[in-house]
Amino acid sequence: AQTVTQSQPEMSVQEAETVTLSCTYDTSESDYYLFWYKQPPSRQMILVIRQEAYKQQNATENRFSVNFQKAAKSFSLKISDSQLGDAAMYFCAFYSGGSNYKLTFGKGTLLTVNP
Amino acid sequence: EAGVAQSPRYKIIEKRQSVAFWCNPISGHATLYWYQQILGQGPKLLIQFQNNGVVDDSQLPKDRFSAERLKGVDSTLKIQPAKLEDSAVYLCASSSTAQSSYNEQFFGPGTRLTVL
C-alpha cells in the first residue's frame, strides 16, 4: 500500500519570505501523480500544484514550486514571497492506478505566516 | 460554474443517534467521493461512486455507514448508530471521470460532525 509522510506538523514563515514543506512517499508504482492541497479554516481543499511522475521537470504555479526527487521518493513544496493568505493546512497526496485511482493523503503541515 | 455543495455545514448529535449528510457534485461529474477527515489527519476515502455504482467502499465501516447515489447525481452518506470516534469532517468531492488517468477532484466545504 502507498504511504505519504509529512514530517513537519507545523511550520512558520515571515511574510514575503520563502518556506519549504517536506513530503516523502512510498510506492512500487512507476506511473503516478503527486499533489499539494491547501486547506484553509473554511475546510475546502484547494489544489495548489500537481506533478506527474514521468515528467522530470519540476512543476511551478506562480509562487508555488516543487522539488520532485523520484529516486528518493521526495516531493517538497516551496512557497516564495509568502503572503498572509497562504496560512493553511497543506496536504501532500499520492494518486495512481495501483491505489485503485484514489488519493492517499499525508497528515498535513500547518503553515503560519507572520506579518 | 457552481462547486460541490454539501449540507449541513455542522452537526452535533448524541452517540447512538443517526445522521445523514448530503452532497451535490459539480454538474456533469460522473465520479463522486466521500472522505472522512479526523482532526489532525489527512482525508481518508470512505467510498467512491462512478455514476450510481460503487467503485470502492473498502474503507467504509459497513456495519454503521451507508451511502447511496441515486440517479448518479446527488449522494447521501448516513451513519447509524453514531459513535464518539465518528467525530470528524466529512468531505465530498467530484471529478469528471476516473480510472486510467487523473482528473482533478473538486472538494466541497465539508460537514463537521461532533458526536457527544
Side-chain angles (χ1 to χ4, degrees):
Chain A
Q2 284 74 16
T3 58
V4 177
T5 302
Q6 293 179 248
S7 59
Q8 307 154 315
E10 297 183 29
M11 291 283 284
S12 64
V13 64
Q14 290 296 125
E15 195 175 3
E17 297 293 307
T18 295
V19 65
T20 299
L21 308 183
S22 301
C23 173
T24 58
Y25 59 94
D26 186 27
T27 184
S28 57
E29 301 285 323
S30 59
D31 186 20
Y32 52 86
Y33 296 80
L34 293 162
F35 308 90
W36 280 98
Y37 280 87
K38 171 184 177 181
Q39 187 178 42
S42 66
R43 302 197 300 264
Q44 190 139 9
M45 299 284 278
I46 302 164
L47 180 63
V48 174
I49 199 165
R50 138 181 148 183
Q51 175 79 43
E52 291 91 334
Y54 67 86
K55 291 187 178 178
Q56 293 186 346
Q57 186 171 7
N58 289 324
T60 299
E61 289 285 344
N62 300 316
R63 298 181 295 106
F64 299 87
S65 62
V66 300
N67 183 4
F68 173 49
Q69 302 289 327
K70 191 172 184 179
K73 296 180 181 175
S74 169
F75 182 62
S76 60
L77 174 70
K78 185 170 83 171
I79 306 174
S80 304
D81 185 25
S82 297
Q83 301 175 0
L84 295 177
D86 295 333
M89 280 292 289
Y90 284 82
F91 292 95
C92 178
F94 174 97
Y95 177 94
S96 81
S99 60
N100 292 326
Y101 300 100
K102 64 184 180 186
L103 282 168
T104 301
F105 288 87
K107 291 190 174 182
T109 297
L110 178 62
L111 178 66
T112 303
V113 181
N114 301 309
Chain B
E1 179 182 80
V4 176
Q6 289 188 248
S7 67
R9 291 296 309 275
Y10 303 89
K11 189 72 178 180
I12 301 173
I13 61 172
E14 301 277 337
K15 61 183 179 185
R16 291 187 288 276
Q17 286 186 326
S18 357
V19 64
F21 312 126
W22 172 82
C23 173
N24 185 16
I26 292 173
S27 176
H29 279 191
T31 308
L32 186 146
Y33 312 80
W34 282 103
Y35 290 87
Q36 180 192 56
Q37 186 179 15
I38 293 173
L39 184 65
Q41 298 183 20
K44 179 187 78 173
L45 180 69
L46 291 176
I47 189 167
Q48 176 183 342
F49 291 96
Q50 177 80 6
N51 296 308
N52 59 353
V54 175
V55 173
D56 183 353
D57 64 357
S58 57
Q59 298 195 85
L60 186 74
K62 298 180 185 65
D63 57 334
R64 297 183 301 105
F65 286 64
S66 64
E68 60 182 8
R69 190 182 184 198
L70 299 176
K71 301 180 182 179
V73 182
D74 292 8
S75 177
T76 302
L77 176 69
K78 296 179 181 178
I79 308 175
Q80 181 178 14
K83 292 185 175 181
L84 297 177
E85 59 261 35
D86 299 332
S87 294
V89 173
Y90 291 85
L91 295 167
C92 179
S94 69
S95 67
S96 58
T97 186
Q99 311 285 344
S100 77
S101 64
Y102 179 77
N103 289 277
E104 183 178 348
Q105 293 185 26
F106 294 85
F107 286 81
T111 297
R112 181 180 296 280
L113 173 67
T114 301
V115 183
L116 302 176

